Amino acid sequence: MSESLHVGIAGAGLLGRLAAWQLARQGHAVEVFDPAPDAGPRFRDGFASAAQADAQAQAAGFTAAGMLSPIAELDNAEPALAARGWRSIALWRDIAAALPGQPFFSAQGSLMLAHRADLGSAQRVLDRLRAACASPAWTAASPPEGARALAPAELRALEPAVSGPAHAWLLPGEAQIDAVQALLALHAAASGSDRARWHWGRRVEIAEEGGALRLADGEARHFDWVLDARGLGARPGLPVRGVRGELVWLHAPGHGVRRPLRLLHPRHRVYIVPRPGDVVLVGASEIESEDRSPVSLRTAVELMAAAHSVVPVLAEARILHLDVNLRPALPDNGALVRRDGRCLRINGLFRHGWLLAPALLEEGLALMAHAAAPPQEERTA
Ligand SMILES: Cc1cc2nc3c(=O)[nH]c(=O)nc-3n(C[C@H](O)[C@H](O)[C@H](O)COP(=O)(O)OP(=O)(O)OC[C@H]3O[C@@H](n4cnc5c(N)ncnc54)[C@H](O)[C@@H]3O)c2cc1C
């Protein structure tokens, strides 16, 4: 897009902020609307009813563990998702380096772990990953290396803090990003360009094909283009549903965990993700419910017991937050990138938003650039 455009963005979550920063960087003027009171994260502690929790909802992007796991996600997704994931990892590396304060990004691979008694169910996961890596759908992109079994000495060298699991596999090239640092840095960088205006406390009711945003207070704002990045807030225009996810924040000085770890367990999947500042995230449940009320005892016990069984030193960790949010998912659990006239809609990022966002935005901006063509719909898995 060579000319300078005025773009209205509905939603200042993961996609909205990434788009605001990229468009402002390209010389476009952006205005971003979001019902949140400000740009910061808000971690709620103490009891809140479901209604109170809804009213205080924050972007799912803040809750996410920030794992960029194209291989592990092949367990329940198509190779096309993984291909976008690899593209996004390459883009995040450059984005993180370009942002102020350089949010934490690391691509040292991740580990899958299994206790001796759980090898059977772990093998089933590995078989699915192997089959996905061998899929003919990889013809356009080179297939990933897949999971590589580690000998005990290799595991000790890579992750000395891990003790307990008898089996380990390395997923090379997988990455992670600090979601909170990245969201704050995207906001700061876009604001610093003087080409981004943020309208906090303003809810968008409709993102229109004609390039207008209709706000909850009745005002209509007209732009050259609009981007609908409201996640769950895009209802009823899009059939998005929320999938509950619960996650524990721990403070564990000297924990020693170097890369994301996933425990393969027959009943639940648990991951342990190290963050700067001695923080470790343990997640996450996946429950077909739009309940944002606090984390259940069952989830907290399962997550923390599993984490402790893999990294015993976490027994002395202190609990910082128990966080809950809803992942925006479409009926087929696939991502949507669609142009309706002068409105670009990106949604359905589900459990892979950080893994997919840069690649999806790249595709969306390409649709905008080719807008001379008649209106078209692109539905992608
Ligand atoms: C527990 C958990 C763990 C996760 N872990 C990972 C992970 O490790 N890796 C990964 O890739 N993904 C992960 N995700 C998924 C990821 O967080 C989401 O896919 C991603 O945040 C979706 O991005 P989004 O921009 O579409 O929505 P959001 O980040 O939710 O942003 C939507 C924004 O729109 C705003 N909004 C809502 N309604 C309106 C309205 N009417 N008008 C204007 N604005 C509105 C909201 O306030 C919000 O700011 C996780 C999610 C959860 C819940």
Side-chain angles (χ1 to χ4, degrees):
M1 290 173 291
S2 49
E3 57 179 327
S4 173
L5 299 171
H6 186 203
V7 182
I9 301 178
L14 166 55
L15 253 168
R17 291 182 195 217
L18 187 59
W21 175 66
Q22 292 210 347
L23 287 165
R25 213 169 174 226
Q26 292 166 11
H28 306 292
V30 297
E31 296 197 44
V32 192
F33 299 81
D34 196 295
D38 55 44
R42 296 180 308 286
F43 293 106
R44 187 169 32 81
D45 291 307
F47 182 73
S49 67
Q52 287 167 329
D54 278 345
Q56 298 161 3
Q58 65 172 342
F62 279 119
T63 304
M67 284 191 300
L68 310 174
S69 309
I71 306 174
E73 289 296 323
L74 282 171
D75 189 19
N76 43 27
E78 297 299 312
L81 178 138
R84 281 170 161 167
W86 291 116
R87 174 69 186 145
S88 289
I89 288 177
L91 292 168
W92 276 128
R93 184 188 298 278
D94 293 343
I95 294 167
L99 287 173
Q102 301 196 342
F104 175 70
F105 169 89
S106 169
Q108 299 185 70
S110 68
L111 295 190
M112 293 198 311
L113 304 165
H115 291 295
R116 193 175 305 282
D118 300 334
L119 182 60
S121 69
Q123 284 296 359
R124 280 193 277 277
V125 174
L126 289 161
D127 288 346
R128 286 197 292 275
L129 297 190
R130 218 169 282 125
C133 289
S135 159
W138 285 103
T139 45
S142 48
E145 198 182 312
R148 181 168 73 76
L150 294 178
E154 287 181 291
L155 173 60
R156 272 196 303 279
L158 283 176
E159 288 291 343
V162 170
S163 165
H167 306 281
W169 298 266
L170 175 67
L171 308 186
E174 290 206 336
Q176 68 173 116
I177 188 162
D178 185 319
V180 174
Q181 285 185 1
L183 286 174
L184 293 174
L186 286 167
H187 171 260
S191 307
S193 73
D194 280 342
R195 282 189 286 267
R197 285 185 61 200
W198 304 85
H199 301 276
W200 301 110
R202 301 206 71 185
R203 182 179 297 277
V204 173
E205 290 291 327
I206 308 175
E208 295 184 344
E209 298 186 15
L213 295 180
R214 220 159 266 285
L215 301 170
D217 59 14
E219 191 188 352
R221 298 289 308 275
H222 297 270
F223 299 93
D224 297 320
W225 277 90
V226 293
L227 168 63
D228 185 355
R230 289 175 293 169
L232 270 187
R235 291 186 290 202
L238 292 175
V240 203
R241 73 182 196 285
V243 179
R244 176 176 164 102
E246 299 156 295
L247 190 135
V248 183
W249 285 59
L250 299 175
H251 185 242
H255 58 75
V257 179
R258 297 172 176 169
R259 51 177 65 68
L261 310 172
R262 280 173 196 266
L263 181 63
L264 301 180
H265 184 276
R267 275 198 303 118
H268 40 254
R269 300 284 155 74
V270 178
Y271 53 72
I272 300 165
V273 177
R275 284 234 175 125
D278 294 327
V279 169
V280 175
L281 305 187
V282 183
S285 60
E286 190 172 315
I287 302 169
E288 280 295 342
S289 161
E290 296 205 349
D291 176 2
R292 290 183 196 261
S293 66
V295 174
S296 70
L297 180 138
R298 177 192 173 128
T299 297
V301 167
E302 284 182 355
L303 292 180
M304 289 190 264
H308 172 242
S309 78
V310 171
V311 182
V313 72
L314 291 181
E316 286 306 320
R318 298 300 191 256
I319 299 168
L320 294 178
H321 311 290
L322 295 169
D323 197 16
V324 175
N325 219 320
L326 303 181
R327 307 170 176 95
L330 287 164
D332 64 358
N333 291 340
L336 171 84
V337 182
R338 189 175 85 194
R339 181 172 77 78
D340 297 328
R342 285 187 289 120
C343 176
L344 180 66
R345 301 185 203 279
I346 305 184
N347 213 314
L349 275 63
F350 190 33
R351 45 179 286 154
H352 335 278
W354 285 90
L355 178 65
L356 298 180
L360 295 178
L361 186 63
E362 190 174 58
E363 293 168 31
L365 295 182
L367 282 181
M368 274 172 71
H370 292 102
Q376 63 186 39
E377 282 204 348
E378 274 205 9
R379 189 65 211 257
T380 45

